[in-house]
Amino acid sequence: MALDKSSLLDGKRILVTGVTHDTSIGFGIARFAQEQGATVLISNFGRALRLTERIAKRLPETPPVLELDVTDESHLAALPAKVAEHLGEGATLDGVVHSIAYGNPETLLGGKFLDGPWDDVAQAVQVSAYSLKALAGACRPMMTGGGSVVGLTFDATVAWPAYDWMGVAKAALESTARYLARDLGPDRIRVNLVSAGPLRTLAAKAIPGFEELESLWDTRAPLGWDQTDTEPTARAVCALLSDLFPATSGEIVHVDGGFHAMGA
Ligand code: NAP
């Protein structure tokens, strides 16, 4: 369904993290946000940064690419200066997208729940959950006019095949979003999550047994579900970034073809 060009996010400045490939949910969000009039910056970290710089050229407008490892305090501290480099001194942000997760696929995912070692679990929780607080905290000084923080989860209210410790990390992310909604509300910063169905991204393909999980959607999603299409998820994220939800915070919006509401 076509929306008016340049309407939903006109004039908004949005940082989208976690863009590695054009399959990344973050890429779909950056594309739709640009189509809706936003000025977008994207980020990634480490070795994949060069890949992100190439992929950025596939967006409608090539955005600035920032280096941001959410576990690196120096990167977080430098974020306002990096944003200012591209948007000008004292630049503000209206929206921040947390599209980041990592859990060691060899030790934590694919049926290894009972053996997952703490060091790897700690890393998964830091990168996938604590980082929402770290990122929001780093961006807060730039969100002087209020704004919207949106993250991505995979329904953490139940146990899934293969998802194992990443499910625990997502439960921590969902709780972190609620506490952030409480503490950033007075600054008029909303914090919400989109709970997406399975999408064939690099992160998903790294999960041993992911096919078993995604095949559940073939029969149980009443609206059907296209595992290669990030746009429905991107649209929901952009709606939450927009002014359409001014009184919504601490919420989880499901974009899963209706799967979560079905008992079988
Ligand atoms: P993706 O393309 O692999 O994106 C995950 C991103 O996280 C990558 O860009 C990755 O960078 C980045 N990342 C990992 N560690 C980081 C760190 N320390 N600092 C900064 N960035 C880091 O996969 P995706 O599926 O789009 O994932 C995006 C979000 O959607 C995740 O939160 C994921 O759990 C969530 N989600 C995914 C699905 C699904 O089925 N795909 C469903 C529901 C929710 P590198 O590539 O360099 O490692």
Side-chain angles (χ1 to χ4, degrees), residues 17-174:
T17 63
V19 180
T20 294
H21 203 261
D22 59 6
T23 57
S24 294
I25 297 171
F27 182 91
I29 295 165
R31 179 173 52 206
F32 193 68
Q34 284 188 341
E35 286 168 4
Q36 292 302 313
T39 298
V40 171
L41 302 108
I42 63 175
S43 73
N44 205 355
F45 85 121
R47 278 178 298 153
L49 201 60
R50 300 285 89 81
L51 184 54
T52 302
E53 278 162 0
R54 284 208 301 280
I55 291 297
K57 299 195 175 81
R58 298 191 192 166
L59 287 165
E61 282 170 47
T62 306
V65 178
L66 310 186
E67 181 176 18
L68 176 62
D69 177 343
V70 281
T71 66
D72 187 327
E73 288 298 333
S74 68
H75 286 196
L76 291 161
L79 195 54
K82 285 187 189 167
V83 169
E85 249 175 56
H86 298 284
L87 299 184
E89 206 48 53
T92 54
L93 284 178
D94 305 290
V96 179
V97 179
H98 178 282
S99 190
I100 291 170
Y102 178 76
N104 186 337
E106 280 164 26
T107 57
L108 297 183
L109 303 164
K112 309 214 176 68
F113 187 78
L114 293 176
D115 298 319
W118 167 242
D119 284 353
D120 288 356
V121 171
Q123 182 192 31
V125 170
Q126 183 185 13
V127 175
S128 314
Y130 179 81
S131 64
L132 181 68
K133 194 284 304 178
L135 179 65
C139 292
R140 185 183 185 189
M142 294 181 276
M143 300 179 84
T144 49
S148 172
V149 177
V150 186
L152 277 309
T153 189
F154 188 73
D155 186 358
T157 58
V158 293
W160 296 103
Y163 210 51
D164 299 352
W165 283 102
M166 188 50 67
V168 176
K170 287 300 189 194
L173 175 77
E174 293 179 5

